[in-house]
Amino acid sequence: MNLKLETPLSTHETKKLQVGDTVYLSGKIFTARDSAHKRIVEEGAPVNLKGEVIFHAGPIIRKLDDHYEMVAVGPTTSTRMNPYEPQVIRMGIGAIVGKGGMDEATSKALQETGTAYLTAVGGCAALYVKSVKKIRSVNWLDLGVPEAMWELEVHEFGPLIVTMDSQGRNLYDEVKKEA
């Protein structure tokens, strides 16, 4: 099924997502890699994460005189966030976007909270950046540009494929079993 969703996402919406659905997101999303996840867990999030989407990405950013411009943004390998993701999910996020899937502890947290993991295609940073309408803000720039938490305004960001859903299905595991 092809779905166009607006952020923040409701649990009612995310519980309906099933492995194989194609999703396009509009609204805001936040980039966060392992250093940002670690800080979220240790210090708390700099924003209210309720229903928000976290994108595992280290964007390429250009600083202009009075604002930032996104040059490219693609997914990074999500397994690096495994030590922190279950706790971050339990803070109320609506969905995760990344690549490569995540571990069993994360899958259990998705099921407990009704959250979904969406896969972005690696190598498509030039495609995904076209959906970014503007950079709204940045937190934790002291971590470095790729590790900072960027708030992006997006329109029909995708295509994203649901690969881990709140019913416990994991497309990565299913493909491994068939191989």
Side-chain angles (χ1 to χ4, degrees):
M1 180 181 297
N2 284 328
L3 301 162
K4 293 182 179 180
L5 301 176
E6 295 277 335
T7 65
L9 303 174
S10 71
T11 305
H12 177 73
E13 289 173 307
T14 57
K15 281 185 174 182
K16 290 183 190 177
L17 295 175
Q18 295 181 20
V19 163
D21 288 346
T22 301
V23 175
Y24 293 85
L25 298 170
S26 293
K28 64 181 171 178
I29 63 174
F30 294 88
T31 66
R33 294 190 345 172
D34 33 338
S35 293
H37 275 73
K38 183 177 191 287
R39 191 173 281 181
I40 289 169
V41 169
E42 291 176 351
E43 300 175 15
V47 296
N48 182 352
L49 293 177
K50 181 75 174 155
E52 301 297 353
V53 175
I54 291 184
F55 182 23
H56 296 161
I60 298 171
I61 305 285
R62 181 178 335 179
K63 185 168 179 15
L64 302 174
D65 291 335
D66 61 344
H67 69 285
Y68 293 100
E69 177 182 80
M70 180 134 325
V71 176
V73 64
T76 194
T77 304
S78 294
T79 56
R80 295 188 353 235
M81 277 52 81
N82 280 337
Y84 314 106
E85 202 70 64
Q87 290 171 277
V88 173
I89 290 168
R90 290 182 183 104
M91 291 178 182
I93 65 171
I96 304 161
V97 176
K99 72 175 182 182
M102 300 196 76
D103 65 7
E104 185 60 32
T106 301
S107 180
K108 287 179 183 176
L110 294 174
Q111 292 169 60
E112 290 169 14
T113 61
T115 307
Y117 177 87
L118 315 174
T119 295
V121 179
C124 290
L127 169 69
Y128 289 128
V129 78
K130 291 179 182 180
S131 298
V132 177
K133 299 306 167 197
K134 73 177 185 177
I135 296 172
R136 295 176 65 161
S137 68
V138 61
N139 289 286
W140 299 335
L141 200 49
D142 62 298
L143 296 174
V145 170
E147 293 288 342
M149 195 168 176
W150 296 90
E151 180 182 350
L152 312 177
E153 183 178 312
V154 297
H155 179 71
E156 295 186 5
F157 184 80
L160 308 168
I161 308 300
V162 178
T163 49
M164 295 173 71
D165 64 27
S166 65
Q167 292 80 42
R169 286 192 61 202
N170 182 327
L171 187 59
Y172 294 99
D173 290 345
E174 292 175 17
V175 169
K176 286 178 192 172
K177 286 178 187 173
E178 288 181 23

